[in-house]
Amino acid sequence: MSEQSPHIFLKGLSVDSLIGVYPEERRAPQPLLIDVEVGLPSLSPFLTDQFEQTIDYAGVAELVRHEAAQQRFQLLERMAHHLCETIATRFHAPWVRMAIVKPGIVPGADAVGVRYCFRAPVSASGE
């Protein structure tokens, strides 16, 4: 899961989510900004130029937006884990790295947020 690992990324994906610990945070969906990197299982898309060999950026964005809108979390930490695990499972990605930013929530700070790295478990068969 290094910078050199082949991966796709989305930066600054804007989503709305009902998230927070405090009642005033849970009254209406709040804007979040999400950066996500998704590890590719192989170098094939770089060598073949075949769409089927990569992970669809739009598919990842759609999944993140859907889950952010449908799920309810108190903590950004739990949301990050859920999103990373869901992306890894759906797209058969070996790893997912994410940052979630919640702007304007703490007085005197531009934003708060979390960074999370998820490595997909290796199956018993090694697949």
Side-chain angles (χ1 to χ4, degrees):
M1 197 167 17
S2 74
E3 292 293 323
Q4 287 74 37
S5 297
H7 63 277
I8 65 160
F9 71 91
L10 289 88
K11 184 169 180 57
L13 181 65
S14 180
V15 303
D16 291 315
S17 185
L18 195 60
I19 188 166
V21 173
Y22 304 107
E24 60 272 15
E25 292 179 292
R26 300 184 69 76
R27 287 193 188 113
Q30 298 179 59
L32 303 174
L33 296 172
I34 299 179
D35 294 345
V36 60
E37 297 176 23
V38 184
L40 296 171
S42 75
L43 290 172
S44 293
F46 295 93
L47 305 173
T48 65
D49 200 29
Q50 305 231 340
F51 179 72
E52 306 80 35
Q53 299 292 314
T54 195
I55 295 173
D56 180 17
Y57 305 98
V60 172
E62 180 181 322
L63 175 65
V64 169
R65 284 195 175 113
H66 173 46
E67 292 295 311
Q70 297 301 314
Q71 300 294 323
R72 301 291 181 256
F73 301 102
Q74 290 187 52
L75 302 176
L76 293 175
E77 291 86 343
R78 177 66 184 121
M79 181 184 204
H81 175 80
H82 172 77
L83 290 173
C84 287
E85 183 177 48
T86 303
I87 291 166
T89 301
R90 175 84 50 89
F91 295 100
H92 308 287
W95 59 268
V96 180
R97 187 172 17 220
M98 179 173 290
I100 304 177
V101 175
K102 193 174 186 182
I105 199 73
V106 173
D110 290 340
V112 300
V114 298
R115 294 186 194 279
Y116 186 68
C117 300
F118 178 86
R119 184 172 294 281
V122 178
S123 69
S125 64
E127 295 176 4

